Amino acid sequence: LEYLRAMSLRNTVKGNSTEGGREAKKNLQEKEKKEKKRLFWYFDAAAAAKTVQLPVTHFDDLRQYSTSFEEGSLPDGFFQKQTPMSLMAEFLCCVQLLLFPGCLLWIWIPVFYLMYALITISSHTWVAFAVPLFVIGVVLLFTRIWFVTFRSTFVPLLYQYFSMKIVWEDGYSPELKSLLLAPPHGVFPFGNLLTLLLWSDYTTNPFLGIAANVLFYFPIIRQLFNWIGIIPAEKHVIVDALAQGHGIGVAPGGIAELFEAGNEKETLVLKKRKGIVKIGLRTGTQMVPCYLFGNTQCLHMLNDKSGRMTSLSRRMRASVTFFWGRFFLPIAFRTPILGVCGRPINVPHPIPAPSNEEIDQYHARVVQGVEDLYHLHQSSYGWREKGLVIK
């Protein structure tokens, strides 16, 4: 009996010791996790538009205008504050947005009218040609002047209009050649465009965007995109741009994601988008998971319940839909945009023929990186209760 009592006491002490050890180990792990919080920097492009001299000689110089913070340390809705701007500045932005990208919606009216006038030339006067040619010429001239001459004036106004802020994780540098995988697309990717313009303005590395190939078949649209710095979504074009040292930003969801913009939850089409990852592996280019908060709220679009516009858009490889914003015109709402660049996924060396396993592995890391960024920053953007769906 004494022996059994001794063994029972020993087992009890051992059990308590084991439970205590597990509890201590768990507490230690939680403490280490808290100590290893991810560090981010944020730059208020809208507020700094009047103080930062362009171009900044190096990305590191931008830190003096930026603020560091740890994950979860910012209050809810911190990035939802609108930047104040004068009525005249807001009016200029509305005119600018009506001409571009608004022209993507209405530019076809003078184009088709001109085509109709050419077909029925015998029954039309010179006015039939002058009016559409004048409208098209004004759009081209305005856009050309804006991007070449007045970009330094109008781009800061756009930063203020969208209250543009950008966040990047400590360790990321846009000076290095990289592929920015930045969903969601939205009706029009304003956040992607502003991020590319911002990195191009504040760094020495020029960034390019990607658009559907079919849009480059139209002379007017092609000229607009070339002036902005947008290239066709063709593999050899992207590879050539990377070889020249350009950084490239892309919304992987593309057209399919555009028709998800009106959902109650943020919806990404990402699970099967592996082509851009394959290009990154082949070229040995680091891939940066990103997220653009507010992209899906800038414009409203016609609800495609039947799925006909979605099907037609996929066949044409370009979006076919009707959208509107302020005053029921193609003018974006004053939605604060927050661009977040996460931790780069390094590719040690080019892989000329990556295996399916390697592609899946890196693609999974990209998807996980995008999802992590959303959950890390959704509260600071004021979307604590808004869910995320990845298709």
Side-chain angles (χ1 to χ4, degrees):
L1 290 175
E2 290 295 332
Y3 174 76
L4 292 175
R5 292 193 187 98
M7 291 300 295
S8 177
L9 179 62
R10 179 183 176 185
N11 290 336
T12 301
V13 172
K14 185 177 179 180
N16 291 339
S17 177
T18 303
E19 291 297 326
R22 290 176 180 172
E23 188 67 24
K25 185 177 180 181
K26 184 178 179 181
N27 293 336
L28 181 62
Q29 289 176 344
E30 290 180 355
K31 183 179 179 181
E32 290 177 350
K33 185 177 180 180
K34 289 181 180 180
E35 291 176 352
K36 292 182 179 179
K37 282 187 175 181
R38 296 163 70 173
L39 180 66
F40 292 87
W41 293 79
Y42 86 84
F43 173 66
D44 190 338
K50 297 181 180 180
T51 58
V52 180
Q53 298 297 320
L54 297 177
V56 174
T57 56
H58 197 274
F59 173 66
D60 290 338
D61 298 335
L62 198 62
R63 291 182 184 272
Q64 62 181 309
Y65 304 101
S66 307
T67 305
S68 63
F69 67 97
E70 290 184 341
E71 60 174 282
S73 62
L74 297 180
D76 287 5
F78 180 80
F79 293 115
Q80 270 288 346
K81 300 175 184 177
Q82 278 194 347
T83 302
M85 63 188 308
S86 66
L87 288 176
M88 179 57 69
E90 189 170 347
F91 171 76
L92 290 174
C93 283
C94 288
V95 173
Q96 177 180 300
L97 292 170
L98 181 62
L99 291 175
F100 182 83
C103 68
L104 296 177
L105 182 65
W106 57 260
I107 195 66
W108 311 109
I109 299 174
V111 170
F112 286 129
Y113 181 77
L114 180 61
M115 293 174 62
Y116 174 76
L118 290 173
I119 294 173
T120 59
I121 188 170
S122 58
S123 61
H124 283 71
T125 64
W126 62 272
V127 178
F129 301 97
V131 173
L133 285 176
F134 175 77
V135 172
I136 295 170
V138 167
V139 174
L140 288 175
L141 180 62
F142 177 85
T143 308
R144 180 64 173 174
I145 292 175
W146 180 65
F147 281 102
V148 174
T149 308
F150 298 114
R151 175 171 168 172
S152 60
T153 301
F154 281 101
V155 171
L157 288 181
L158 282 179
Y159 293 155
Q160 295 176 46
Y161 186 87
F162 289 104
S163 305
M164 179 67 185
K165 298 176 181 65
I166 192 161
V167 169
W168 67 91
E169 188 161 0
D170 194 48
Y172 165 68
S173 173
E175 298 285 354
L176 300 176
K177 181 180 67 175
S178 55
L179 281 169
L180 303 184
L181 290 84
H185 186 284
V187 178
F188 184 87
F190 289 101
N192 303 65
L193 177 61
L194 292 176
T195 301
L196 296 180
L197 291 173
L198 189 146
W199 285 142
S200 296
D201 284 342
Y202 291 102
T203 65
T204 58
N205 185 27
F207 271 81
L208 300 176
I210 294 176
N213 300 345
V214 68
L215 295 176
F216 289 84
Y217 295 145
F218 300 94
I220 299 173
I221 304 299
R222 182 174 66 244
Q223 292 299 324
L224 292 173
F225 283 174
N226 288 339
W227 293 334
I228 297 170
I230 298 177
I231 60 176
E234 296 183 5
K235 182 174 68 175
H236 72 276
V237 176
I238 298 173
V239 171
D240 290 344
L242 290 172
Q244 295 172 14
H246 292 287
I248 293 180
V250 57
I255 297 169
E257 201 169 77
L258 182 151
F259 290 95
E260 303 288 349
N263 294 350
E264 293 183 2
K265 296 182 179 181
E266 286 284 277
T267 305
L268 309 182
V269 180
L270 195 57
K271 286 187 176 180
K272 296 182 180 180
R273 304 291 171 142
K274 302 179 181 180
I276 194 68
V277 174
K278 192 174 182 179
I279 291 175
L281 293 176
R282 284 182 170 179
T283 58
T285 305
Q286 69 173 4
M287 291 169 277
V288 183
C290 305
Y291 202 93
L292 290 157
F293 291 89
N295 240 13
T296 57
Q297 310 298 312
C298 293
L299 291 167
H300 296 324
M301 61 175 290
L302 195 65
N303 192 358
D304 184 27
K305 294 182 178 180
S306 64
R308 293 177 181 176
M309 289 190 297
T310 305
S311 178
L312 180 60
S313 297
R314 287 177 178 174
R315 291 180 182 179
M316 296 183 62
R317 297 186 178 181
S319 59
V320 180
T321 185
F322 180 77
F323 60 87
W324 67 91
R326 299 178 70 175
F327 320 115
F328 294 97
L329 295 172
I331 301 174
F333 296 105
R334 280 205 68 189
T335 304
I337 291 180
L338 170 65
V340 183
C341 300
R343 187 176 299 162
I345 300 173
N346 294 316
V347 180
H349 55 83
I351 306 174
S355 64
N356 291 334
E357 290 76 13
E358 290 172 322
I359 295 173
D360 291 342
Q361 176 187 353
Y362 278 88
H363 178 261
R365 292 175 63 183
V366 169
V367 174
Q368 187 62 51
V370 170
E371 186 175 3
D372 289 346
L373 287 178
Y374 180 83
H375 292 305
L376 281 173
H377 300 282
Q378 67 178 123
S379 295
S380 58
Y381 187 71
W383 283 2
R384 176 179 288 275
E385 303 300 328
K386 192 165 188 176
L388 176 68
V389 176
I390 300 179
K391 295 183 177 180

